[in-house]
Amino acid sequence: ALPIWKSKFSEKQIIEILKEIEDGAPVVETLRDKGVSKDTYYKWKRKYSGMETGDVKRMRDLEKENAKLKKLYAEMALMNDALKDVIEKKL
């Protein structure tokens, strides 16, 4: 699901900051310079660690496709239940 809030950093910028730290930049100084809290850093790290910029687009596309499939499944399950009810009433 997409977050309700909008980050002041793009996903590309987030990945660049994470890579900078992975490449040896001091964590506390880098976060202070960029205006990022430690909590935010750890959330980003959990979500984006090891990703390239192209991976983020692919992840977004997969999340959208997953949401569509979940909706389709829910609609089909409702239709299936309705058809079962109709069949039971006729028997």
Side-chain angles (χ1 to χ4, degrees):
L2 295 174
I4 295 170
W5 49 268
K6 179 73 174 143
S7 174
K8 67 179 181 178
F9 296 96
S10 70
E11 289 173 328
K12 181 181 178 190
Q13 290 171 318
I14 292 169
I15 290 172
E16 288 172 356
I17 292 168
L18 291 174
K19 280 191 183 287
E20 188 176 328
I21 292 170
E22 285 174 14
D23 291 342
V27 177
V28 176
E29 290 176 27
T30 304
L31 296 179
R32 188 179 328 115
D33 291 345
K34 307 288 184 183
V36 177
S37 73
K38 278 188 179 181
D39 287 342
T40 299
Y41 165 69
Y42 287 112
K43 286 177 191 173
W44 288 352
K45 188 174 177 183
R46 194 169 44 246
K47 184 172 182 177
Y48 297 104
S49 185
M51 285 189 169
E52 299 292 330
T53 307
D55 295 335
V56 174
K57 181 185 179 339
R58 185 166 185 271
M59 181 181 70
R60 287 278 175 237
D61 291 344
L62 289 172
E63 286 174 345
K64 286 179 186 175
E65 182 180 358
N66 192 35
K68 286 180 188 177
L69 291 172
K70 284 181 177 181
K71 182 180 178 188
L72 181 63
Y73 173 80
E75 290 170 355
M76 290 179 71
L78 285 172
M79 191 180 303
N80 188 28
D81 287 344
L83 289 172
K84 283 180 182 177
D85 288 344
V86 169
I87 290 170
E88 287 176 5
K89 287 178 183 176
K90 286 190 176 183
L91 299 176

